[in-house]
Amino acid sequence: MTQAGGQGYEQGVRIGLSAVVIALREGQAVVLTTHAADGAPALPFGPFDPARDRTFELALRAFVTAQTGFPLGFVEQLYTFGDAGRASPRATPGPDRAREVSVGYLALTADAPEAPGRDAAWTPVFDIFPWEDWRSGPPAAMATLEPALRAWADGDARRLGRVETLFALTPERRWNEERVLERYELLYEAGLVAESARDHDRPAPSPTGDKTGLPMASDHRRIVATALGRLRSKLKYRPVLFDLTPDTFTLSALQSAAEAVAGLSLHKQNFRRGVERAGLVQATGVFSSDTGGRPAELFRFVGADPLGGPAPGLTLPGQR
């Protein structure tokens, strides 16, 4: 903020708030998006006015509802994003060229209406990160990304080690679903995502198209990567999955919800044993005929530990 008489900073700072609102629709994890001025998909985003807004969270709730018509439920602060050279100056055009500092929030909802309202839409998370969906085995995107990443490494042992570790390219490497941000950052560093070309005034990367995912405005894909990694991590130690599910559900639907977030195929019997062991759900005695087969019993989330401790998360027993 520039002071009178020309004293102070040459470049001001504007604080913005970004919301990653995640829901489940038709077996897919989706994120609430709007559009930036240039038409690029964007997160709901708004400035924080210290003179008007009492808290970051209240400001976030107000502008998300104003932009999308969608009220927020559960929210959690993620991180503060403000790296120079990552489209930050471009985020606030004008003579001041204020440096953009964005505070990201993760929000979860079980209510994902067909049309959220205004300029909003539900965008599948795996359209943004196609390499993150391992539910049916290695993603098709990897057939294009793997040779491109190996070419970027070009025999550099350190680069190659990062590539093979993060993308589990060799048999001894295990896929870690939580490292979403690190994978996106590596693709950015390698120049394989459109945002990298945009931020460094280079031609669009190759490979292009659906193999490198849906580009987003400013640094918003980085923020979504942070949110997805946080959510995948929290599944294991907090019952956050139930913030994405209706009041009652079948165990098959609960497993599908966990798979849609984790991007993994889970072992059915082991998943069910883990849910029962954790004491997170209770049978309702009501059966659903909407399963396409034999009626399945509906369950509900029990809630916090009756002894006063936090409710545990879910085990994610993968098939591979």
Side-chain angles (χ1 to χ4, degrees):
M1 279 64 73
T2 304
Q3 299 177 355
Q7 302 297 316
Y9 301 105
E10 294 180 0
Q11 184 180 7
V13 174
R14 187 181 81 157
I15 298 175
L17 305 173
S18 301
V20 182
V21 184
I22 294 179
L24 296 173
R25 283 179 56 83
E26 299 176 354
Q28 298 290 332
V30 293
V31 63
L32 188 64
T33 57
T34 60
H35 287 92
D38 63 359
L43 295 172
F45 179 89
F48 174 75
D49 183 349
R52 181 195 63 206
D53 298 321
R54 188 164 62 87
T55 69
F56 283 178
E57 183 176 324
L58 289 174
L60 179 91
R61 291 179 181 277
F63 80 70
V64 168
T65 301
Q67 286 183 23
T68 69
F70 189 83
L72 291 182
F74 165 88
V75 297
E76 174 184 304
Q77 187 171 321
L78 282 171
Y79 194 71
T80 300
F81 303 83
D83 287 7
R86 296 287 296 259
S88 298
R90 293 184 181 88
T92 51
D96 294 336
R97 305 297 290 167
R99 174 77 171 273
E100 187 76 58
V101 174
S102 175
V103 182
Y105 280 81
L106 169 65
L108 306 177
T109 180
D111 179 22
E114 184 66 33
R118 314 308 199 271
D119 181 39
W122 293 109
T123 299
V125 167
F126 297 138
D127 284 1
I128 301 171
F129 307 112
W131 55 87
E132 291 292 335
D133 185 5
W134 287 73
R135 289 175 295 176
S136 299
M142 289 308 302
T144 303
L145 288 176
E146 179 175 351
L149 285 165
R150 290 190 181 279
W152 170 75
D154 192 25
D156 183 302
R158 181 175 172 275
R159 282 186 173 185
L160 185 60
R162 290 170 62 204
V163 167
E164 291 182 343
T165 297
L166 288 174
F167 288 90
L169 298 185
T170 57
E172 69 273 13
R173 310 288 187 181
R174 180 184 176 277
W175 176 262
N176 185 336
E177 73 278 3
E178 297 177 23
R179 301 178 75 174
V180 185
L181 178 61
E182 291 174 78
R183 282 186 285 272
Y184 173 72
E185 294 283 33
L186 181 60
L187 291 169
Y188 182 98
E189 183 182 343
L192 295 176
V193 289
E195 291 90 337
S196 179
R198 177 202 64 199
D199 294 349
H200 297 93
D201 296 316
R202 293 196 298 252
S206 180
T208 57
D210 60 358
K211 301 299 184 291
T212 57
L214 183 68
M216 299 185 73
S218 189
D219 222 4
H220 289 190
R221 192 150 50 145
R222 185 186 183 208
I223 298 173
V224 179
T226 304
L228 181 59
R230 173 76 65 84
L231 179 56
R232 286 176 167 183
S233 173
K234 287 179 74 69
L235 284 179
K236 300 171 186 176
Y237 63 90
R238 289 288 183 271
V240 291
L241 186 63
F242 298 99
D243 288 301
L244 295 168
T245 59
D247 291 339
T248 59
F249 43 82
T250 65
L251 292 182
S252 291
L254 185 66
Q255 179 176 335
S256 294
E259 291 175 333
V261 173
L264 299 173
S265 174
L266 303 178
H267 189 281
K268 180 178 178 179
Q269 295 305 322
N270 288 347
F271 177 82
R272 294 190 174 201
R273 278 195 289 268
V275 169
E276 292 167 0
R277 238 187 345 256
L280 292 171
V281 300
Q282 184 178 72
T284 65
V286 177
F287 287 76
S288 171
S289 58
D290 297 333
T291 58
R294 189 171 63 181
E297 189 167 13
L298 292 172
F299 289 76
R300 63 170 174 264
F301 174 51
V302 173
D305 183 340
L307 298 179
L314 297 168
T315 55
L316 300 180
Q319 293 277 25
R320 58 183 195 86

